[in-house]
Amino acid sequence: MEREKIVAIVNDFLVNEFEVDSDEISNDANLKTTLGLDSLDYIDMVVIIESNFGVKLGEADFKRMITFDDFYTTIENKIIEKKA
């Protein structure tokens, strides 16, 4: 899956499911600060990512993500790993 498609899908569910202002989403924006999600929201996000991309993100994955770019890259890498 192309990175542009990953970004589009992620941004779409962040705006529609988590009511994130699309103007606040940028590659270098801080993921946790911008999203302001609680632990239950992160569980919902894991489910949405799994249903959209067929990959699962764990707690360790989220700890390494600082920016939206990190988020997209992690999903992209999980997809590549799954295909390998």
Side-chain angles (χ1 to χ4, degrees):
M1 179 178 294
E2 294 180 11
R3 185 176 181 90
E4 294 79 22
K5 185 166 178 129
I6 293 169
V7 170
I9 292 169
V10 169
N11 291 354
D12 184 61
F13 74 67
L14 289 175
V15 169
N16 292 314
E17 299 292 328
F18 297 99
E19 300 176 359
V20 176
D21 184 349
S22 62
D23 293 336
E24 294 181 17
I25 299 173
S26 68
N27 284 344
D28 59 346
N30 184 288
L31 184 70
K32 292 174 184 160
T33 303
T34 303
L35 296 181
L37 305 178
D38 63 26
S39 57
L40 291 176
D41 290 329
Y42 278 104
I43 293 170
D44 289 342
M45 187 182 300
V46 167
V47 171
I48 292 170
I49 291 168
E50 187 173 8
S51 68
N52 278 285
F53 301 107
V55 297
K56 200 170 222 167
L57 297 182
E59 185 178 342
D61 295 314
F62 282 104
K63 285 183 179 181
R64 290 190 300 263
M65 290 184 242
I66 306 299
T67 65
F68 281 89
D69 189 58
D70 296 336
F71 189 32
Y72 307 137
T73 299
T74 300
I75 294 171
E76 184 177 30
N77 289 338
K78 293 278 187 173
I79 292 169
I80 291 168
E81 288 172 16
K82 184 179 176 185
K83 290 182 179 180

